[in-house]
Amino acid sequence: MLLTLPEYDARQRAGLILGPLLFITISLTTESLGLDAEQRWAAATVALMATWWITEPMPLWATACLPLIKVSSGIIISTAFMSSIIRIHCL
């Protein structure tokens, strides 16, 4: 069985490359602004998601699931603003 990759136009290819580059750049360079690790990762995720929503290299529903994947993997868990009910389900 042959696996075929989807056809990407120039806009989608640019977003596929630009999104992760922005993510890495923001997560590594915003420490000088006084942001802690959770804030840097959140800002980088927003930039990645915005880039992918605009250029659509992935389906919108898959892009919308990125924060869920990050929270469930334990990369971003900030309990300062969570209610106790949400905290129980995330942890």
Side-chain angles (χ1 to χ4, degrees):
M1 186 164 129
L2 183 62
L3 177 67
T4 59
L5 297 175
E7 296 279 332
Y8 289 113
D9 60 9
R11 175 182 53 95
Q12 291 172 319
R13 282 193 300 271
L16 197 59
I17 295 169
L18 184 62
L21 284 176
L22 280 173
F23 180 85
I24 291 169
T25 302
I26 290 173
S27 64
L28 294 177
T29 60
T30 53
E31 188 174 6
S32 63
L33 297 174
L35 300 176
D36 62 5
E38 291 175 345
Q39 293 169 334
R40 288 194 310 267
W41 281 96
T45 302
V46 168
L48 173 65
M49 289 179 66
T51 304
W52 280 2
W53 276 336
I54 293 168
T55 59
E56 295 185 46
M58 297 178 60
L60 293 177
W61 64 266
T63 304
C65 291
L66 286 175
L68 298 175
I69 295 168
K70 289 178 154 264
V71 169
S72 65
S73 67
I75 294 173
I76 298 177
I77 295 181
S78 177
T79 58
F81 300 106
M82 290 179 147
S83 72
S84 59
I85 295 171
I86 294 173
R87 195 174 308 132
I88 290 170
H89 292 291
C90 287
L91 302 175

